[in-house]
Amino acid sequence: MLLHASVSLGRHSHRKLAALGARSISTSVSQNDSAIGFIGLGQMGFHMAKHLQRQSDVPFCVYDMNTDAMSQFQAACSTSTRPNIDLASSPADLASKSSVIVTVLPESAHVKDVYTGSSGILEGIRKETLCIDSSTIDTSVSVNVSKQVIAAGARAVDAPISGGIMGAQAGSLTFMVGSQNAEDFEQAKLHLSKMGKNVVRCGDLGAGQAAKICNNLLLAISMVGTAEAMNLGIRLGLDPAVLASIINTSSGRCWSSDTANPVPGVIATAPSSKDYGGGFKTRLMLKDLGLVANAAKDTKSPLLLGSLAENIYRHIAGNQTMADQDFSVVYQWLARRSDKS
Amino acid sequence: MLLHASVSLGRHSHRKLAALGARSISTSVSQNDSAIGFIGLGQMGFHMAKHLQRQSDVPFCVYDMNTDAMSQFQAACSTSTRPNIDLASSPADLASKSSVIVTVLPESAHVKDVYTGSSGILEGIRKETLCIDSSTIDTSVSVNVSKQVIAAGARAVDAPISGGIMGAQAGSLTFMVGSQNAEDFEQAKLHLSKMGKNVVRCGDLGAGQAAKICNNLLLAISMVGTAEAMNLGIRLGLDPAVLASIINTSSGRCWSSDTANPVPGVIATAPSSKDYGGGFKTRLMLKDLGLVANAAKDTKSPLLLGSLAENIYRHIAGNQTMADQDFSVVYQWLARRSDKS
Amino acid sequence: MLLHASVSLGRHSHRKLAALGARSISTSVSQNDSAIGFIGLGQMGFHMAKHLQRQSDVPFCVYDMNTDAMSQFQAACSTSTRPNIDLASSPADLASKSSVIVTVLPESAHVKDVYTGSSGILEGIRKETLCIDSSTIDTSVSVNVSKQVIAAGARAVDAPISGGIMGAQAGSLTFMVGSQNAEDFEQAKLHLSKMGKNVVRCGDLGAGQAAKICNNLLLAISMVGTAEAMNLGIRLGLDPAVLASIINTSSGRCWSSDTANPVPGVIATAPSSKDYGGGFKTRLMLKDLGLVANAAKDTKSPLLLGSLAENIYRHIAGNQTMADQDFSVVYQWLARRSDKS
Amino acid sequence: MLLHASVSLGRHSHRKLAALGARSISTSVSQNDSAIGFIGLGQMGFHMAKHLQRQSDVPFCVYDMNTDAMSQFQAACSTSTRPNIDLASSPADLASKSSVIVTVLPESAHVKDVYTGSSGILEGIRKETLCIDSSTIDTSVSVNVSKQVIAAGARAVDAPISGGIMGAQAGSLTFMVGSQNAEDFEQAKLHLSKMGKNVVRCGDLGAGQAAKICNNLLLAISMVGTAEAMNLGIRLGLDPAVLASIINTSSGRCWSSDTANPVPGVIATAPSSKDYGGGFKTRLMLKDLGLVANAAKDTKSPLLLGSLAENIYRHIAGNQTMADQDFSVVYQWLARRSDKS
């Protein structure tokens, strides 16, 4: 339901934007220029595009359904040494001008629409263009869209991101890349390394998506597990910092314990010590666990702890405050006791 | 049922051994000597006692329900510079000669019996003797027994072990210690450091037990989670070594992935690469998860993933082969597909 | 992936069949006749269509991608008092001749394709035709397709089935119906009551699907729960028949205990007493739990026991024999112990 | 910890009561009379004892640690045709006068203490006395205590209760009985049928306990499952009463859906329709699930849904209000959404 609504909105917006005359701007880059195109100027994409634009020597073209985001991006680049930003009227328009396209979109349906929908990338794509999709979406959708790009004579890699908004701002993201061959990976790496620190090839098409969701599956389980272990230890009378230090030098050690420990005060830089702010929101973890569930169903992989963790996060996300806090807030959910309902 | 049977057997054995004339040996150490006493010469204790005996300058006294184990220990020490090992006729007998007592026993019931049963330690204990219990048992039982030792005018610490048989042989164990005060801890450390590398004070009485089971709870969850994530990734087409390397540098990293990865071939030194041999047996993990469950019930701590992990291991342990393999064998259980039942 | 493949195959088959000349047969019913059309002559649909055909006074038209199934159906009806069966060349062809259409298809993708695909029902549908979809599919897909039917000037109800192949043969099925209004329900009931005993209106469009999957969710949980309780009782020494009789007159009673008890021998007519044959296959339960999971994700409904039950069945279905046995075989999975791996 | 405290308190109270002079009352029944003795005048026992006393022709003797409870019971019986109630000074005192003893106590530790502790039943028990323990406790403890009774020359059955306080008041309880032989069962039934409607022999010693906890395990799972299915259906737009009626005539039907449906308003007589009052309290269900967990551990029976249900109830019971509401309140826990934490 929701997805179809989004898709329709997407199509509508493309047309609407074209009608509103984005043409006047888009003429600033000729059809034959080899621009870098960037679609999706959201919380992640905005910062990423800035890093990429500043470090690239070719024309830069952007598109977003939200025209305000495009204007803001243009304004943000006005102090750049290359201030001319081409605002495309549609993904197809952007594709017609670009030899490299980076997309950063929220969900599978948006990626499908932006690539294969009306006025989508496939309608304007040029031979040999490299499409880099940094969205985190269903592995099956990612592979399917990439194959359509390749069938159109262009090239595609999936390159989902790890590192969050902080990493996007700092240009320190990790990209997990799936590509048909090493050459596509190497070319994508040239651009991705301008937005992040680590660019890792995970395998064939879809492998970037697969690696990312497998990592996040284990992350979700480890975090709930750390919350359970810390809560038990505290109730048994242990000092949380002492317990964490023991776990962190023993076989229970994990990122959720030694870097993002969910108990406030144990690690000063962890979201839990900042009222669960500034981390990876519960509702985003829940979204990724939905991708995990789809992949598990497709491949008939049993996930006993994984599916339970997903549903715990779904329960937690019923609380609007917690849905927008770092997912380590599961500790609060677990440990809370109250006198009344 | 089982426990009561063991306890009865224990009592019986104490008496039987006394009747069989262990006296002739025990006269080799006078009542007034300040021996180190060691009770429990099982797979762990045997190696630990050897390390401790070789590095101690005082008489050494041992007790085990199994007289063969005592004879074997005596033989194993015959090449020592201090070859005289006193074989006690009962825990009480041992206690009457010792100023330090180390116990390494399988379950809560054995600890209760050896300390508080007929012919138990409390019947022979001297003022000021330091009792170091390195068994992994119920936190509540541990605290209770320690308090009885203290009420008898002696001192007690709990010091469960991490590191397994390999660590016991190598003298590289970690001890997690709970003690009433820093002084008891420091004295215990003098002895424990002869059997291990790390000796950590976790807090008050019982804190050693608590820290150990909290660590193992998180370990059990992380291992099942790693198995689920690796299985999903492999079925999605990822190379297991590549997936592990990505996880190990990302937020999913944990000991179960980077040190004991459950997929054969990923880490050459892991039990999974040795047909799940040489690690921490499934049935021992299951035993520890039983202690976790007791502590969770006592403290009313919800364990959603933890209790599921316990029951997964209980299901796996129904297979005798897997019960005796390293607990990372959960990956095989999860990933297995078959054509017939 | 799989779904797209199926859809393509579907489209291809429609065209192929048309090319092969199903026309010669379809001329036996004129365009203006008000036929009953039936699409999907699989294990369920075949028997249902026979019941409906024998009790209907109007021309009967069928379509299936598998032309053999159509021939077999025609042969099976040759002894009927109304032996003329129209074999349609496509869903569109069938729709052009029918005032009532019943569809019984395996998955959401097939329903989407048969209704909205190339040569689909919507291409041939007549005003006022009542479409009855008895497939068990995603609630969101069901509502979406029904709305497209209605937008085309026709009418639609969802009417998924409970009762299995035995019920289809015996004409004793239960239909759970979702309809826009009571009138559509009443007209659908006229036809559905020829194939089943109970026809219940569950609410608005999609309500039939919703009710069915909610029932099956609870069924799956109850069955695993019954298996756990029976296994525990048996291991505690209880006679399974005595335990079942106590549960069945107490607060634990449920269909899974009193009608389909998973322990062989407790209920003679249960699949468990027939080597888990003749019931509701594990892989079909798993399919329905997949629909449950989709609905839960769409509505943000936490399913803690439900998602665990789904993943237990996914684990069990990795065994090909068990995948084709009645889903009460979970008892065997749970209770099995073995000496070797 | 807690249990030991209770036990000590128990011992203390026995002595205290004796010192306070219960003797003057107990002389009203001679040592040789064959009284019925009743120990445990709590919420259940008080009502049960009244029913039994009114229908029995022999002297009636009671004991409770709480002397007020005894006084209240005496007062409550003052209008009886047999108003003389003997208040025993200890379980031993009561046992010395009784040929039948009924015990209704809260936990395993209390049963152990009342039977085998200082001034306990075993210190005063007569040959041939039939001990009927209607407490719900650990199966292993129950069997152990019964065997000690039998070893003392008396007889024992376990007869835990189903039916709650309402059933105790109405005299409509169900008793699940474990006995060594049919004769003991028949004699126990004579007395139990005065307090309840159904008296069922479940098997050998301990079988009553085993049957009860297996039933309650399935009950707990069914209730959480019903809550999940109802919540999903409601969020999909179904009317809860319609959904319940469909489930109740389909394969999902169970006591938790058709008798105690957890959604308010579906069934007028269910606790959910009375603000979750008047049923089986969450904390009592949690206690029974603790007995289930012990039995599962002893018998190595995996409980995947069962242990998850236990931990869900443990989480819920962290809320004091819900801990004292009927356990169907799990629906509220599951369905609740909030704007803030």
Side-chain angles (χ1 to χ4, degrees):
Chain A
M1 303 279 97
L2 180 59
L3 296 189
H4 286 121
S6 302
V7 170
S8 308
L9 184 59
R11 283 174 182 153
H12 191 65
S13 297
H14 299 165
R15 277 181 242 115
K16 185 178 161 199
L17 189 64
L20 287 174
R23 287 144 298 157
S24 59
I25 303 166
S26 66
T27 52
S28 66
V29 178
S30 93
Q31 284 288 108
N32 294 321
D33 276 359
S34 261
I36 292 176
F38 199 107
I39 299 178
L41 299 170
Q43 288 194 299
M44 294 294 291
F46 194 93
H47 296 295
M48 291 165 65
K50 278 207 297 184
H51 282 288
L52 185 57
Q53 188 269 341
R54 284 181 187 167
Q55 298 173 59
S56 301
D57 294 328
V58 297
F60 205 82
C61 179
V62 298
Y63 175 74
D64 195 287
M65 269 169 53
N66 176 356
T67 54
D68 286 349
M70 287 201 280
S71 307
Q72 282 163 24
F73 184 76
Q74 203 168 33
C77 293
S78 62
T79 59
S80 160
T81 56
R82 301 189 138 270
N84 288 337
I85 304 298
D86 182 15
L87 307 193
S89 61
S90 70
D93 176 35
L94 179 142
S96 69
K97 299 162 186 166
S98 306
S99 59
V100 173
I101 300 171
V102 179
T103 49
V104 187
L105 299 159
E107 300 198 9
S108 295
H110 305 110
V111 172
K112 269 198 280 195
D113 188 46
V114 160
Y115 277 87
T116 70
S118 165
S119 302
I121 288 173
L122 288 181
E123 292 188 1
I125 201 162
R126 293 150 62 171
K127 298 283 173 199
E128 301 297 323
T129 289
L130 177 66
C131 294
I132 303 172
D133 181 33
S134 283
S135 317
T136 298
I137 61 169
D138 281 316
T139 304
S140 58
V141 172
S142 176
V143 172
N144 196 282
V145 167
S146 289
K147 288 190 172 168
Q148 292 185 59
V149 168
I150 290 165
R155 292 174 298 151
V157 304
D158 50 296
I161 307 160
S162 171
I165 294 170
M166 310 274 275
Q169 285 178 317
S172 64
L173 297 168
T174 291
F175 293 94
M176 304 177 186
V177 184
S179 68
Q180 272 200 321
N181 52 53
E183 192 190 334
D184 288 354
F185 168 72
E186 290 301 336
Q187 198 197 336
K189 191 176 177 179
L190 289 178
H191 302 283
L192 294 171
S193 58
K194 292 172 180 163
M195 301 179 277
K197 270 193 204 161
N198 301 299
V199 185
V200 188
R201 187 173 179 215
C202 302
D204 204 349
L205 291 177
Q209 299 294 348
K212 174 157 184 195
I213 62 172
C214 289
N215 181 75
N216 282 13
L217 164 63
L218 183 48
L219 172 59
I221 292 170
S222 298
M223 184 56 86
V224 180
T226 303
E228 292 188 0
M230 292 298 298
N231 183 48
L232 176 62
I234 291 168
R235 291 195 181 180
L236 284 168
L238 295 175
D239 177 90
V242 171
L243 174 56
S245 74
I246 290 164
I247 287 174
N248 294 343
T249 53
S250 302
S251 50
R253 73 171 160 73
C254 56
W255 185 89
S256 295
S257 175
D258 66 24
T259 303
N261 198 289
V263 179
V266 168
I267 293 174
T269 54
S272 63
S273 296
K274 295 178 277 190
D275 197 22
Y276 300 95
F280 185 41
K281 293 183 177 178
T282 296
R283 61 180 172 75
L284 294 178
M285 174 52 95
L286 188 55
K287 178 211 146 190
D288 283 6
L289 290 173
L291 301 175
V292 166
N294 290 345
K297 191 191 288 185
D298 286 352
T299 58
K300 303 184 180 177
S301 307
L303 295 184
L304 294 121
L305 297 197
S307 63
L308 181 52
E310 180 191 7
N311 280 278
I312 289 172
Y313 277 117
R314 196 178 287 159
H315 190 271
I316 293 173
N319 178 304
Q320 287 304 308
T321 302
M322 286 186 171
D324 282 322
Q325 287 180 309
D326 181 70
F327 75 112
S328 63
V329 76
V330 61
Y331 170 74
Q332 294 295 338
W333 176 84
L334 196 74
R336 188 186 302 169
R337 285 161 161 166
S338 66
D339 289 342
K340 53 194 171 76
S341 63
Chain B
M1 307 280 99
L2 179 62
L3 297 189
H4 286 121
S6 301
V7 170
S8 309
L9 184 60
R11 283 175 182 154
H12 191 66
S13 297
H14 300 164
R15 275 181 246 116
K16 185 176 161 201
L17 189 66
L20 288 174
R23 285 146 298 157
S24 57
I25 304 166
S26 67
T27 50
S28 64
V29 179
S30 94
Q31 284 289 107
N32 294 321
D33 278 357
S34 262
I36 293 176
F38 200 105
I39 299 178
L41 299 171
Q43 288 194 299
M44 294 294 292
F46 193 92
H47 296 295
M48 292 166 64
K50 278 207 298 185
H51 281 288
L52 185 56
Q53 188 267 344
R54 284 180 188 170
Q55 297 174 58
S56 301
D57 294 328
V58 296
F60 206 81
C61 179
V62 299
Y63 176 74
D64 195 287
M65 269 170 53
N66 175 357
T67 54
D68 287 349
M70 288 201 279
S71 307
Q72 283 162 23
F73 184 76
Q74 201 167 34
C77 294
S78 62
T79 60
S80 161
T81 55
R82 299 190 141 271
N84 288 337
I85 304 298
D86 183 15
L87 307 194
S89 62
S90 71
D93 176 34
L94 179 142
S96 69
K97 300 162 186 167
S98 305
S99 59
V100 173
I101 300 172
V102 179
T103 49
V104 186
L105 299 159
E107 301 198 8
S108 295
H110 306 109
V111 172
K112 268 199 280 196
D113 187 48
V114 159
Y115 277 87
T116 70
S118 165
S119 300
I121 289 173
L122 287 181
E123 292 189 1
I125 201 162
R126 293 149 64 168
K127 297 284 171 197
E128 300 297 323
T129 289
L130 177 66
C131 295
I132 303 172
D133 181 33
S134 283
S135 317
T136 297
I137 60 168
D138 281 316
T139 305
S140 59
V141 171
S142 176
V143 172
N144 196 281
V145 167
S146 288
K147 287 190 173 167
Q148 291 186 58
V149 167
I150 291 165
R155 293 173 297 151
V157 304
D158 49 296
I161 307 159
S162 170
I165 295 170
M166 312 274 274
Q169 285 178 317
S172 62
L173 299 168
T174 291
F175 293 94
M176 303 176 185
V177 184
S179 69
Q180 272 200 322
N181 52 54
E183 193 190 334
D184 289 354
F185 168 72
E186 291 301 335
Q187 199 197 335
K189 190 175 178 180
L190 289 178
H191 302 283
L192 293 171
S193 59
K194 291 171 181 165
M195 300 179 277
K197 271 193 203 161
N198 300 299
V199 184
V200 189
R201 186 170 180 217
C202 302
D204 205 349
L205 290 177
Q209 300 293 350
K212 174 159 185 195
I213 61 172
C214 289
N215 179 76
N216 282 12
L217 164 62
L218 183 47
L219 171 59
I221 292 170
S222 298
M223 184 57 85
V224 180
T226 302
E228 291 187 1
M230 292 297 299
N231 183 47
L232 176 62
I234 290 168
R235 291 194 181 180
L236 285 168
L238 295 175
D239 177 271
V242 172
L243 175 56
S245 74
I246 289 164
I247 287 174
N248 294 343
T249 54
S250 303
S251 50
R253 73 171 160 74
C254 56
W255 185 90
S256 295
S257 175
D258 67 22
T259 302
N261 197 289
V263 179
V266 168
I267 293 174
T269 54
S272 62
S273 297
K274 295 178 277 189
D275 197 22
Y276 299 95
F280 185 41
K281 292 184 179 179
T282 296
R283 61 180 174 73
L284 293 178
M285 174 53 94
L286 187 56
K287 179 212 146 189
D288 283 6
L289 291 173
L291 300 175
V292 167
N294 290 346
K297 190 190 290 184
D298 286 351
T299 59
K300 302 183 180 178
S301 307
L303 295 183
L304 293 120
L305 297 197
S307 64
L308 181 52
E310 180 191 7
N311 280 276
I312 289 172
Y313 278 117
R314 197 178 287 160
H315 189 272
I316 294 173
N319 178 304
Q320 287 304 308
T321 302
M322 287 186 170
D324 282 323
Q325 288 179 309
D326 182 69
F327 75 113
S328 62
V329 77
V330 63
Y331 170 73
Q332 294 295 338
W333 176 84
L334 197 75
R336 187 185 303 169
R337 285 160 161 166
S338 66
D339 290 340
K340 50 193 173 76
S341 62
Chain C
M1 303 279 99
L2 179 61
L3 297 188
H4 285 120
S6 302
V7 169
S8 308
L9 184 60
R11 283 175 180 153
H12 190 67
S13 297
H14 300 165
R15 276 182 244 115
K16 185 178 161 200
L17 189 65
L20 287 174
R23 284 147 300 156
S24 58
I25 304 165
S26 67
T27 52
S28 64
V29 179
S30 93
Q31 284 289 111
N32 294 324
D33 277 358
S34 261
I36 292 176
F38 199 106
I39 299 178
L41 300 171
Q43 289 194 298
M44 294 293 292
F46 194 92
H47 296 296
M48 292 166 64
K50 278 206 298 186
H51 281 289
L52 186 56
Q53 188 268 344
R54 284 180 187 169
Q55 298 174 58
S56 301
D57 294 327
V58 296
F60 205 82
C61 178
V62 299
Y63 176 74
D64 196 286
M65 269 169 52
N66 176 356
T67 55
D68 286 348
M70 288 202 279
S71 307
Q72 283 162 24
F73 184 75
Q74 203 168 32
C77 293
S78 59
T79 58
S80 160
T81 56
R82 299 188 140 271
N84 287 339
I85 303 299
D86 183 16
L87 307 194
S89 62
S90 71
D93 177 34
L94 179 141
S96 68
K97 300 163 186 165
S98 305
S99 60
V100 173
I101 300 172
V102 179
T103 48
V104 186
L105 299 160
E107 300 200 8
S108 295
H110 306 110
V111 172
K112 268 198 281 196
D113 187 46
V114 160
Y115 277 88
T116 71
S118 164
S119 301
I121 289 173
L122 287 180
E123 291 188 1
I125 200 162
R126 295 150 61 170
K127 297 282 172 201
E128 300 298 323
T129 289
L130 177 67
C131 295
I132 303 171
D133 181 33
S134 283
S135 317
T136 297
I137 61 168
D138 280 316
T139 305
S140 58
V141 171
S142 176
V143 172
N144 197 283
V145 167
S146 289
K147 288 190 171 168
Q148 292 187 59
V149 168
I150 291 165
R155 292 173 297 151
V157 303
D158 49 295
I161 308 160
S162 171
I165 294 170
M166 312 274 275
Q169 285 178 319
S172 63
L173 298 168
T174 292
F175 293 94
M176 304 176 184
V177 184
S179 69
Q180 271 199 323
N181 52 54
E183 192 191 334
D184 289 354
F185 169 72
E186 290 302 335
Q187 198 196 334
K189 192 176 175 179
L190 289 178
H191 302 284
L192 294 171
S193 58
K194 292 171 181 165
M195 301 179 276
K197 271 193 205 162
N198 300 298
V199 185
V200 189
R201 187 170 180 218
C202 302
D204 204 350
L205 291 177
Q209 300 293 349
K212 173 155 186 195
I213 62 172
C214 289
N215 180 74
N216 282 12
L217 164 62
L218 182 47
L219 172 60
I221 292 170
S222 298
M223 185 56 86
V224 180
T226 302
E228 292 187 0
M230 292 298 298
N231 183 47
L232 177 62
I234 291 167
R235 291 195 182 180
L236 285 168
L238 295 176
D239 177 272
V242 171
L243 175 56
S245 73
I246 289 164
I247 287 174
N248 294 342
T249 53
S250 303
S251 50
R253 73 170 160 74
C254 57
W255 184 90
S256 295
S257 175
D258 66 25
T259 303
N261 197 289
V263 179
V266 168
I267 293 175
T269 54
S272 62
S273 296
K274 295 178 276 189
D275 198 22
Y276 300 95
F280 185 42
K281 292 183 178 180
T282 296
R283 60 181 174 75
L284 294 178
M285 174 53 95
L286 187 56
K287 177 211 149 192
D288 283 6
L289 291 173
L291 301 176
V292 166
N294 290 346
K297 191 191 290 186
D298 286 352
T299 59
K300 302 183 181 178
S301 307
L303 295 183
L304 293 121
L305 296 197
S307 64
L308 182 52
E310 179 191 8
N311 281 277
I312 289 172
Y313 278 117
R314 196 178 287 160
H315 190 271
I316 294 173
N319 178 305
Q320 288 303 310
T321 303
M322 287 185 170
D324 282 322
Q325 288 179 308
D326 182 71
F327 75 112
S328 62
V329 77
V330 61
Y331 170 74
Q332 294 295 337
W333 176 84
L334 197 76
R336 187 185 303 170
R337 284 161 161 167
S338 66
D339 289 342
K340 50 194 172 80
S341 64
Chain D
M1 303 279 97
L2 179 59
L3 296 189
H4 286 121
S6 302
V7 170
S8 308
L9 184 58
R11 285 175 179 153
H12 191 67
S13 296
H14 300 165
R15 276 180 244 117
K16 186 177 160 199
L17 189 64
L20 287 174
R23 284 146 298 156
S24 58
I25 303 165
S26 67
T27 52
S28 63
V29 179
S30 93
Q31 285 287 110
N32 295 321
D33 277 359
S34 261
I36 292 176
F38 200 107
I39 299 178
L41 300 170
Q43 288 194 297
M44 294 294 292
F46 193 93
H47 297 295
M48 291 165 66
K50 278 207 296 185
H51 282 288
L52 185 57
Q53 188 268 341
R54 284 180 189 169
Q55 298 174 57
S56 301
D57 294 329
V58 296
F60 206 81
C61 178
V62 297
Y63 175 74
D64 195 286
M65 269 169 53
N66 176 355
T67 55
D68 287 348
M70 289 201 280
S71 307
Q72 282 162 25
F73 184 77
Q74 203 167 33
C77 294
S78 61
T79 60
S80 161
T81 55
R82 299 188 139 270
N84 287 338
I85 304 298
D86 182 17
L87 306 193
S89 62
S90 71
D93 177 34
L94 179 142
S96 69
K97 301 163 186 166
S98 305
S99 59
V100 173
I101 300 172
V102 179
T103 49
V104 187
L105 299 159
E107 302 199 6
S108 295
H110 305 110
V111 173
K112 269 199 280 196
D113 187 46
V114 160
Y115 278 87
T116 70
S118 166
S119 301
I121 288 173
L122 287 180
E123 292 189 1
I125 201 162
R126 293 149 63 171
K127 297 284 172 198
E128 299 299 323
T129 290
L130 177 67
C131 295
I132 303 171
D133 181 33
S134 282
S135 317
T136 298
I137 61 169
D138 281 316
T139 304
S140 58
V141 172
S142 177
V143 172
N144 196 282
V145 167
S146 289
K147 288 191 172 166
Q148 291 186 60
V149 168
I150 291 165
R155 292 175 298 151
V157 304
D158 49 296
I161 307 160
S162 172
I165 295 170
M166 312 274 274
Q169 286 178 317
S172 64
L173 298 168
T174 291
F175 293 94
M176 303 177 185
V177 184
S179 69
Q180 271 199 323
N181 53 54
E183 192 190 336
D184 288 354
F185 168 72
E186 291 302 335
Q187 198 196 334
K189 191 175 178 181
L190 289 178
H191 303 283
L192 294 172
S193 58
K194 292 171 180 163
M195 301 179 278
K197 271 194 204 159
N198 300 298
V199 184
V200 189
R201 185 170 181 217
C202 302
D204 204 350
L205 290 177
Q209 299 294 350
K212 173 156 187 196
I213 62 172
C214 289
N215 180 73
N216 282 12
L217 165 62
L218 183 48
L219 172 60
I221 291 171
S222 298
M223 184 56 86
V224 180
T226 302
E228 292 187 0
M230 292 298 298
N231 183 47
L232 177 61
I234 291 167
R235 291 196 181 179
L236 285 168
L238 296 175
D239 177 90
V242 171
L243 176 56
S245 74
I246 290 164
I247 287 173
N248 295 343
T249 53
S250 303
S251 49
R253 73 171 159 73
C254 57
W255 184 90
S256 295
S257 175
D258 67 23
T259 302
N261 198 289
V263 179
V266 167
I267 293 175
T269 53
S272 63
S273 296
K274 296 178 275 191
D275 198 22
Y276 300 95
F280 185 42
K281 292 184 178 178
T282 295
R283 62 180 172 75
L284 294 178
M285 174 53 96
L286 188 56
K287 178 213 147 189
D288 283 6
L289 290 173
L291 301 176
V292 166
N294 290 346
K297 190 191 289 186
D298 286 352
T299 58
K300 302 183 180 178
S301 307
L303 295 183
L304 293 120
L305 298 196
S307 63
L308 182 51
E310 179 191 8
N311 280 278
I312 289 172
Y313 278 117
R314 197 179 287 159
H315 190 272
I316 294 172
N319 178 304
Q320 287 302 309
T321 302
M322 288 186 170
D324 282 322
Q325 289 179 307
D326 181 71
F327 74 112
S328 62
V329 77
V330 61
Y331 170 74
Q332 294 295 338
W333 176 85
L334 196 76
R336 186 185 303 169
R337 285 160 161 167
S338 66
D339 290 341
K340 50 194 172 80
S341 63

